């Protein structure tokens, strides 16, 4: 996940905002127990994962106050460690590992190689007792890469596979509802990320799953708008399904994230894409 | 279904010997054993299926003017609908894929299959195709509109929860606005 699953700040209550930040700090501090390097990859998406799991298993969590390296001056709230927090931080390490793995194979990026090999050590540490979920995600990631390499034209095929990856990550204790939530989050994240990166990818001649649909729109503004409206409707449909699942938890932060936060991200990304598409992609 | 002669790459009205020779050559070319560990393998398998079908049709003595009758067409769609009802999505899809058509019903059924699978983007595309081919059909229109409706409802709930389009109205912009306002006042244009 890449920082798309965030709340819409103007509509958060102050206490919700404080709690949200506390979870973020909690994940960071929890990850420190594994090692300092993975903390670099921390992002807000995993707060969403924590909140979903917390609501699902009705966990009572506690806050504490501490200073840390990033905020040495003022004491901040953080979430005291619990089982779910540990799970979330482990998943974060997994996902950042795969992202680096992807970078190495994709761009032959030497700089990713060093953190990659260090992360590999951490992963061995985490998965010492049970390696099975990790292997499952790895398999799906490999499939994702082979799909991208073969230049698949279908947006859904790729988004579906990515959705399955997130379904595995969300599925703590193999719960079906969590899998569904993970799946739809993943599909949405994949497509929104593809839209966001589209112009960059075309310039750098990288693979992008939207290429097939948007390449022919370069000269035709009406066709572009047509394709864009299809994307918009499908993205919002994914979100509508997701928000139906989330509503059941009755958690105001989660509602904010899914109903407004992700919506405003969608609008932002689509708007940026529309304004830059014809400006930047002149031949 | 493509023209079987075209699939095998022989001229129309070719003799059975010619057809057999062309068939054997193609089978050799696309044999799955040659595509072990190759990403093109699925493609080759599909191709081979098509070749086999074309060969069977041409070798059949009854084959004269090969064309699907309307009767067969409707029965195909009925079959697909039954399969979907039974929840046998994979088989329904392969049946449709084996008989590609260009009419609204084909796209509509394809859309349903993708919708069942949860691939909304693709499903919506198929429904749009069906609708464009036959805008008067209630079923196709409803299928298409149900997605648009869900998307509108979702948007609506975001607005109700306080989403505003330009939320970047921070201190800076307010200052700018006030500054502009002041200029106007000084010049006796505004206020």
């Amino acid at each position: 996940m890449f920082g798309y699953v965030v709340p819409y700040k103007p509509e958060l209550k102050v206490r919700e905002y404080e709690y949200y930040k506390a979870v973020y700090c909690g994940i960071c501090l929890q990850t420190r127990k594994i090692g300092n390097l993975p903390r670099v990859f921390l992002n807000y998406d995993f707060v969403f994962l924590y909140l979903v799991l917390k609501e699902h298993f009705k966990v009572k969590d506690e806050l504490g106050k501490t200073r840390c390296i990033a905020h040495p001056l003022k004491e901040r709230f953080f979430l005291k460690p619990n089982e779910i927090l540990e799970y979330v931080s482990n998943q974060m390490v997994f996902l950042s590992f795969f992202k680096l793995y992807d970078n190495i194979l994709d761009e032959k990026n030497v700089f990713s190689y060093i953190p990659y090999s260090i992360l590999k050590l951490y992963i061995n540490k985490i998965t010492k007792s049970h390696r099975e979920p990790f292997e499952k995600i790895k398999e799906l990631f490999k499939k994702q890469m082979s799909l991208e390499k073969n230049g698949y034209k279908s947006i859904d095929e790729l988004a579906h596979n990515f959705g399955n990856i997130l379904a595995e990550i969300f599925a703590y204790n193999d719960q079906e509802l969590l899998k569904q939530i993970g799946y739809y989050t993943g599909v949405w994240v994949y497509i929104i990320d593809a839209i966001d990166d589209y112009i960059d990818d075309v310039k750098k001649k990288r693979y992008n799953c939207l290429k097939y649909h948007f390449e022919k729109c370069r000269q035709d503004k009406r066709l572009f708008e047509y394709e864009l409206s299809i994307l918009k409707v499908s993205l919002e449909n994914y979100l509508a399904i997701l928000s139906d699942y989330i509503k059941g938890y009755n958690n105001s932060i989660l509602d904010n994230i899914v109903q407004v936060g992700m919506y405003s991200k969608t609008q932002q990304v689509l708007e940026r894409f529309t304004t830059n598409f014809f400006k930047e992609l002149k031949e | 279904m493509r023209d079987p002669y075209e699939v095998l790459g022989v001229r129309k009205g070719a003799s059975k010997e010619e057809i057999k020779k062309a068939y054997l050559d193609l089978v050799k070319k696309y044999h799955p054993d040659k595509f072990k560990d190759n990403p093109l393998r699925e493609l080759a398998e599909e191709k081979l299926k098509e070749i086999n079908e074309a060969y069977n049709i041409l070798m059949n003595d009854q084959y004269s003017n090969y064309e699907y009758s309307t009767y067969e067409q409707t029965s195909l769609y009925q079959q697909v609908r039954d399969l979907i009802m039974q929840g046998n999505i994979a088989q329904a899809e392969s049946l449709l894929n084996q008989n590609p058509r260009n009419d609204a019903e084909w796209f509509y059924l394809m859309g349903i299959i993708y919708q069942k699978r949860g691939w909304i983007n693709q499903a919506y595309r198929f429904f749009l195709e069906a609708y464009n081919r036959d805008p008067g059909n209630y079923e196709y229109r409803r299928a298409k509109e149900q997605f648009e409706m869900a998307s509108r409802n979702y948007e609506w709930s975001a607005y109700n929860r306080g989403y505003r389009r330009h939320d970047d109205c921070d201190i800076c912009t307010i200052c700018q606005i006030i500054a502009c306002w002041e200029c106007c006042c000084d010049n006796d244009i505004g206020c």
Side-chain angles (χ1 to χ4, degrees), chain A residues 197-206 218 280-281:
Chain A
D197 291 344
Y198 182 79
I199 292 169
D200 224 30
D201 283 347
V202 170
K203 280 184 183 163
K204 290 183 181 157
K205 299 202 164 50
R206 273 186 308 219
R218 294 266 184 94
E280 307 243 339
L281 291 183

Side-chain angles (χ1 to χ4, degrees), chain B residues 150-185:
Chain B
S151 137
R152 261 202 305 276
N153 283 342
Y154 174 74
E155 259 176 43
W156 186 236
S157 78
Y159 278 98
N160 277 343
R161 282 191 65 101
Y163 172 76
R164 295 292 168 265
R165 202 180 148 85
H166 293 292
D167 48 297
D168 46 359
C169 188
D170 51 5
I171 297 288
C172 273
T173 32
I174 293 172
C175 284
Q176 274 170 9
I177 291 168
I178 292 175
C180 290
W181 204 7
E182 290 281 297
C183 297
C184 295
C185 287

Side-chain angles (χ1 to χ4, degrees), chain A residues 16-169:
Chain A
E16 288 167 349
Y17 181 59
E18 289 293 333
Y19 176 74
Y20 187 83
K21 280 201 306 196
V23 176
Y24 186 70
C25 288
I27 298 174
C28 185
L29 291 175
Q30 174 71 34
T31 315
R32 190 170 63 179
K33 289 178 193 161
I34 304 170
N36 267 321
L37 180 89
R39 289 168 84 189
V40 182
F41 302 102
L42 187 69
N43 68 48
Y44 285 110
D45 297 325
F46 291 93
V47 181
F48 176 70
L49 173 59
Y50 175 81
L51 290 173
V52 170
L53 293 179
K54 176 207 148 195
E55 284 300 327
H56 192 90
F57 296 103
K58 308 235 176 324
V59 177
K60 287 242 182 311
D61 43 16
E62 281 174 64
L63 298 184
K65 247 182 167 185
T66 184
R67 274 180 235 273
C68 74
I69 272 193
H71 314 96
L73 292 179
K74 212 179 144 197
E75 282 200 322
R76 288 200 160 218
F77 285 111
F78 76 102
L79 200 71
K80 285 188 179 160
N82 58 37
E83 208 181 315
I84 287 178
L85 200 63
E86 195 187 330
Y87 175 80
V88 170
S89 109
N90 286 351
Q91 297 300 323
M92 196 190 84
V93 180
F94 285 175
L95 213 59
S96 35
F97 170 77
F98 285 120
K99 228 178 144 185
L100 288 174
Y101 188 50
D102 192 41
N103 277 359
I104 290 170
L105 293 186
D106 231 31
E107 301 167 12
K108 313 243 171 332
N109 194 340
V110 193
F111 294 109
S112 319
Y113 199 78
I114 303 153
Y116 166 77
S117 37
I118 302 172
L119 267 191
K120 209 168 176 184
L121 296 176
Y122 290 133
I123 298 246
N124 290 337
K125 200 161 124 193
I126 300 170
T127 55
K128 212 181 242 168
S129 51
H130 49 287
R131 222 184 143 77
E132 196 188 327
F134 177 74
E135 292 295 333
K136 231 177 184 172
I137 298 171
K138 194 173 170 185
E139 240 6 85
L140 286 167
F141 250 95
K142 277 189 180 154
K143 196 178 161 201
Q144 187 81 14
M145 279 185 282
S146 79
L147 285 176
E148 290 186 1
K149 218 190 244 158
N150 289 337
Y152 259 79
K153 288 173 190 166
S154 160
I155 302 172
D156 295 72
E157 174 111 45
L158 286 143
H160 169 74
N161 197 55
F162 193 76
N164 280 339
I165 294 176
L166 283 210
E168 284 304 323
I169 286 175

